[in-house]
């Protein structure tokens, strides 16, 4: 299924990632903007018991115009990947980088045409202590999604 929506195309690519590259061979759930307090079945979500990821739009779309040609647009997104183990957090971050660095979004539909997915920033840190006293680690991966519009 194709979509003209960048976030939906990113979600489709996320869902198709190779599970074997992630801790416990499980692709973490991806949430938009922030993780909810509970999952779909009503169970409370704790980052210290299972990994998850959040994708955030860190800026609006910037458009570079040139006279007489279509402009290049850039959507800046950041993935925040949370795991209780620093090693699991790093493994998941590298798996995401393997799938996204300089790759494509096959689910993206016209009028958007992807030019490039460029890695921008990368950082890892301890996010804090969870409710159960277990440390939670975070890896942040920033990307610029550059595209133009056809037609």
């Amino acid at each position: 299924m194709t979509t003209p929506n960048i976030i939906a195309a990113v979600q489709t690519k996320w869902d198709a990632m190779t599970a074997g590259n992630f801790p416990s061979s499980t692709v973490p759930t991806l949430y938009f903007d922030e993780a909810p307090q509970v999952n779909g079945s009503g169970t409370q979500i704790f980052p210290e018991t299972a990994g998850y990821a959040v994708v955030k739009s860190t800026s609006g779309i910037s458009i570079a115009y040139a006279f007489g040609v279509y402009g290049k647009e850039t959507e800046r997104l950041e993935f925040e990947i949370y795991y209780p183990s620093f090693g699991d957090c790093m493994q998941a971050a590298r798996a995401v980088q393997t799938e996204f660095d300089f790759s494509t979004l096959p689910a993206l539909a016209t009028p958007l045409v992807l030019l490039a997915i460029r890695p921008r920033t990368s950082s890892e840190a301890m996010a804090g202590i969870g409710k159960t006293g277990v440390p939670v680690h975070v890896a942040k991966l920033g990307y610029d999604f550059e595209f133009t519009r056809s037609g």
Side-chain angles (χ1 to χ4, degrees):
M1 183 170 122
T2 60
T3 177
N5 180 309
I6 296 279
I7 298 294
V10 166
Q11 180 71 52
T12 300
K13 183 173 184 73
W14 186 275
D15 293 341
M17 287 196 295
T18 306
N21 293 337
F22 288 90
S24 303
S25 295
T26 304
V27 178
T29 303
L30 180 67
Y31 301 105
F32 178 68
D33 201 33
E34 65 181 30
Q37 295 289 322
V38 296
N39 63 19
S41 63
T43 306
Q44 192 166 8
I45 297 171
F46 292 109
E48 62 263 32
T49 57
Y52 66 83
V54 176
V55 63
K56 297 181 177 187
S57 177
T58 58
S59 71
I61 295 175
S62 62
I63 303 173
Y65 288 106
F67 182 75
V69 297
Y70 289 106
K72 179 180 79 172
E73 303 178 32
T74 303
E75 176 71 31
R76 191 165 276 183
L77 299 178
E78 182 176 79
F79 294 102
E80 294 180 356
I81 303 161
Y82 295 90
Y83 273 90
S85 159
F86 184 71
D88 286 351
C89 191
M90 294 302 300
Q91 180 182 352
R94 298 305 164 251
V96 171
Q97 288 175 318
T98 299
E99 298 281 350
F100 276 90
D101 285 12
F102 304 104
S103 67
T104 62
L105 288 177
L108 197 60
T110 55
L112 298 179
V113 177
L114 183 71
L115 300 174
I117 300 174
R118 300 186 193 281
R120 190 175 43 81
T121 60
S122 173
S123 66
E124 299 83 18
M126 190 170 111
I129 303 294
K131 290 183 177 185
T132 61
V134 175
V136 177
H137 298 87
V138 62
K140 296 182 180 183
L141 305 172
Y143 288 92
D144 284 341
F145 289 76
E146 297 177 355
F147 58 93
T148 188
R149 295 182 185 268
S150 64

